[in-house]
Amino acid sequence: MKACLAIDESIKLELNVGKLYSLFQNINKDDYDFWWNISIEEDNHAALIRSGKEYFIPLGKFPESMVLKDYDRLRQMNGYIEELIVKYQKSLPSREEAFNIALFLELNAGELHFQDFL
């Protein structure tokens, strides 16, 4: 049961990061394609996890290494990202701040763990 919660929270994490990156598309027109591409990439990560949940859990073959086992950490990261989304829907960050946020998110354990799995 807790593994399913972690899977759902992992899907949410990928979707939240994608949503945040899609906001960043409007900061600088020269960076639009960059933010659009990585936003789509995050959405694809969510789709991959969702597909794994749908097809492989019933078979008992879902790779548990695909998601962090620390459900509380996933929830905490999602809360943090959701706060950023609300904040930046009102006022976009500077270009430098957006890249620093993206660097932080890409270096967090959820993203690194997903990349290690792949």
Side-chain angles (χ1 to χ4, degrees), residues 96-107:
E96 181 179 354
E97 186 178 358
F99 279 109
N100 284 331
I101 289 166
L103 179 62
F104 169 77
L105 294 177
E106 294 300 318
L107 293 177

Side-chain angles (χ1 to χ4, degrees), residues 2 11 17 20 63 72 77 87 97 117:
K2 194 164 186 174
I11 293 167
V17 172
L20 182 64
D72 292 331
M77 276 304 294
K87 177 181 176 181
E97 186 178 358
F117 169 79

Side-chain angles (χ1 to χ4, degrees), residues 3-64:
C4 283
L5 290 175
I7 292 167
D8 290 341
E9 204 67 29
S10 293
I11 293 167
K12 185 177 176 182
L13 177 69
E14 298 294 340
L15 292 173
N16 280 336
V17 172
K19 189 177 201 179
L20 182 64
Y21 290 169
S22 70
L23 288 174
F24 293 170
Q25 293 172 0
N26 299 311
I27 294 172
N28 182 312
K29 68 179 182 167
D30 293 333
D31 299 331
Y32 181 90
D33 288 342
F34 169 78
W35 292 114
W36 182 81
N37 284 322
I38 64 171
S39 173
I40 296 299
E41 187 177 293
E42 299 301 330
D43 292 344
N44 288 337
H45 292 171
L48 181 62
I49 298 169
R50 188 179 297 120
S51 293
K53 177 185 175 190
E54 183 178 330
Y55 295 107
F56 295 112
I57 284 182
L59 301 174
K61 303 241 183 224
F62 188 87
E64 291 183 25

Side-chain angles (χ1 to χ4, degrees), residues 80-96:
Y80 170 71
I81 296 166
E82 288 166 355
E83 287 175 11
L84 290 176
I85 290 168
V86 169
K87 177 181 176 181
Y88 295 137
Q89 283 174 331
K90 296 174 186 170
S91 177
L92 290 171
S94 69
R95 183 175 189 247
E96 181 179 354

